[in-house]
Amino acid sequence: MGKPLFVEIVQKPATSTIIGICCAVWFYIQKKNIGYAHVGLSYETAVQGHLWRIITSAFSHISVLHLVFNMSALWSLGVVEQLSHMGLGVAFYLHYTLILVVLSGLLVLGIYHILIRKFKLEYFQRVTAVGYSCVVFGWMTILSVKQPSSKLDLFGFLSLPISFAPFESLVFTSIIVPQASFIGHLSGIIVGYSIAWGLVHGMNNYWAISMLGWIVVVFLFSLKRTGAFDLSFIEIEAVTDSSLPTVGFIATGNSRTLQMNALPFEGAELV
C-alpha cells in the first residue's frame, strides 16, 4: 500500500505548491475564458517586448488533458525533493526549477530565431507555446542521470523507466498530441542535461533570490511597457531630447503634409 496523500504532500512541499499554482491558474483561465494568445509564448510577441510571457506560458494550461499529464508527471518527479542524500533535495529542486523555467523559455525563443532567420521558416513566427512541459521534461532528464533506476508514473497506472522517459515521452506526446511543442519539450531536455552534467551549476539561496528578484522586475516592467496590464505604481517616462528630429503632420484642407524639423548633425551621412 502506498503512503497517504497528505504524507506525500508533506514530503513534496515544493512540488505540491507548484501543482497547486498550475491548477489555480487553469481554473482562472477557464473562468475568464483566456486563450493561448493571451498568455502563451511566441517569437512574435517576444520581440515586441512581452518577456512576461516566459513566466505566464510556463504555468498556464488551456486543455485539462495537458494539465493532468504535466501534473501527473511532475508529482512522480517530486521524488527529487526526497533525495537530499544524493545532493538533490527541496532547495536543489526550487533553485533549478527557476533555472528550467527561464532557460528553457529563452532556448525556445533562440531556436525559433534560428528557424525563422536562418531557414526562413516564417511559420514559427507565430507558434504559441503554453504549459509546464519544458520543466517536466527537464526534471525527467535530470533524474534519468542522477538516479537512472527510478520510475516515472503517469496517471497512476503507466510506469516508464526514468532512464528512457525523456525521449519516450517526447515521441509519445508528439504522436498522441500532434499540437504538442516538440521544440519546447526538446528545450527542457537540453537544459535538463546541462544541469545534470554540471554545465549549469552553482545555484544557492543567494543566487536564487537574486535571480527571482530580477525576474519579478523584468516581469512587471515588461507588463507595463507592453500595456498588457495597468500597473499604476510603475511609471515609465518618455525621454525627450530637443536635439533630436521631430516629425509631425500639418493638415491643409483635405490633405496632410509631412513636416520634419531637425538640427544638423556634424559628421552625419545619409546612406
Side-chain angles (χ1 to χ4, degrees), residues 155-168:
F155 309 111
F157 62 86
L158 181 61
S159 183
L160 300 174
I162 197 67
S163 54
F164 300 108
F167 296 102
E168 286 178 346

Side-chain angles (χ1 to χ4, degrees), residues 47-201:
V47 295
Q48 292 171 359
H50 293 235
L51 299 178
W52 53 268
R53 291 174 180 267
I54 292 176
I55 306 301
T56 59
S57 63
F59 293 94
S60 300
H61 298 79
I62 308 301
S63 162
V64 66
L65 181 62
H66 190 198
L67 175 71
V68 171
F69 177 85
N70 279 351
M71 296 305 102
S72 175
L74 187 63
W75 179 254
S76 179
L77 294 165
V79 70
V80 170
E81 295 187 65
Q82 303 167 19
L83 299 176
S84 55
H85 62 282
M86 296 178 57
L88 304 179
V90 178
F92 182 92
Y93 184 86
L94 289 172
H95 294 168
Y96 288 97
T97 289
L98 199 60
I99 292 288
L100 281 165
V101 169
V102 175
L103 287 192
S104 59
L106 292 175
L107 184 56
V108 166
L109 293 176
I111 294 173
Y112 284 167
H113 179 80
I114 293 171
L115 292 173
I116 294 166
R117 303 299 181 189
K118 183 72 174 176
F119 297 99
K120 309 302 180 185
L121 298 175
E122 297 298 327
Y123 163 77
F124 290 100
Q125 190 92 359
R126 297 178 181 83
V127 172
T128 303
V130 294
Y132 205 69
S133 303
C134 288
V135 182
V136 169
F137 275 77
W139 280 119
M140 280 186 203
T141 306
I142 294 168
L143 199 57
S144 71
V145 174
K146 298 290 187 179
Q147 196 181 49
S149 60
S150 297
K151 297 280 188 179
L152 176 68
D153 295 319
L154 297 174
F155 309 111
F157 62 86
L158 181 61
S159 183
L160 300 174
I162 197 67
S163 54
F164 300 108
F167 296 102
E168 286 178 346
S169 299
L170 185 64
V171 174
F172 175 77
T173 53
S174 298
I175 294 173
I176 301 301
V177 188
Q179 68 269 33
S181 175
F182 181 88
I183 291 175
H185 297 169
L186 184 61
S187 296
I189 291 173
I190 293 172
V191 177
Y193 275 123
S194 299
I195 294 170
W197 291 341
L199 302 178
V200 177
H201 65 282

